[in-house]
Amino acid sequence: MNLTPATAYTNDTLTCTVNLTDSTNGSFHLDYVVYKNGASLATDNYMFYSNGTSLAIATVTPSQTTKNDIFTCAVRGYDGARYGAYVNSSNLTILSLPPTQGTPILNSTNGTSAYSKISNLTAYNQSTQDLDSDKV
């Protein structure tokens, strides 16, 4: 069971992937649950997959995430005779995107000559943005 990307930000799509194995080497189905902050976000099942199959079972879109959300995927298989125990992925915490800064305009009171002494240099912000709406 794997939940990717390993480091996730608010603009990432999360994917739960499972490698299906069964000691009888037969086909089976699986049930999964995606948890967001401990509450069930999505559940479903897949039918009749072969042993050794790697399968992306669920995705979480950026619109479903907020910084500091914690996601976990859980899956269990059923081989027609018995259900396996649920196996959980590691917790994945959504991180805040860093703010972006455009190129500032620099203004000097003493001109632009390389030989002039600059006594007052001012930087004017042109654009600062934070996609997570954090205070910048």
Side-chain angles (χ1 to χ4, degrees):
M1 167 70 68
N2 196 13
L3 182 56
T4 57
T7 303
Y9 296 93
T10 54
N11 64 343
D12 286 326
T13 296
L14 311 181
T15 303
C16 292
T17 304
V18 63
N19 293 315
L20 308 172
T21 57
D22 181 65
S23 60
T24 64
N25 292 321
S27 296
F28 54 95
H29 82 265
L30 62 92
D31 300 324
Y32 77 84
V33 182
V34 177
Y35 294 99
K36 176 181 178 180
N37 301 323
S40 175
L41 176 68
T43 63
D44 206 347
N45 59 49
Y46 287 89
M47 300 295 284
F48 305 112
Y49 279 87
S50 299
N51 194 33
T53 301
S54 180
L55 180 66
I57 58 172
T59 57
V60 177
T61 63
S63 66
Q64 296 172 293
T65 70
T66 321
K67 67 181 174 185
N68 300 321
D69 282 344
I70 300 171
F71 287 88
T72 308
C73 292
V75 66
R76 71 176 177 174
Y78 177 72
D79 65 4
R82 295 180 313 193
Y83 279 98
Y86 273 101
V87 175
N88 292 342
S89 68
S90 298
N91 288 343
L92 180 62
T93 301
I94 304 300
L95 303 175
S96 180
L97 285 166
T100 59
Q101 168 67 52
T103 304
I105 294 175
L106 296 177
N107 187 26
S108 145
T109 57
N110 289 353
T112 59
S113 168
Y115 301 105
S116 58
K117 181 179 176 185
I118 299 174
S119 61
N120 185 12
L121 182 63
T122 305
Y124 295 97
N125 181 27
Q126 295 305 296
S127 64
T128 301
Q129 182 180 25
D130 188 273
L131 296 177
D132 303 317
S133 301
D134 293 331
K135 188 174 181 176
V136 181

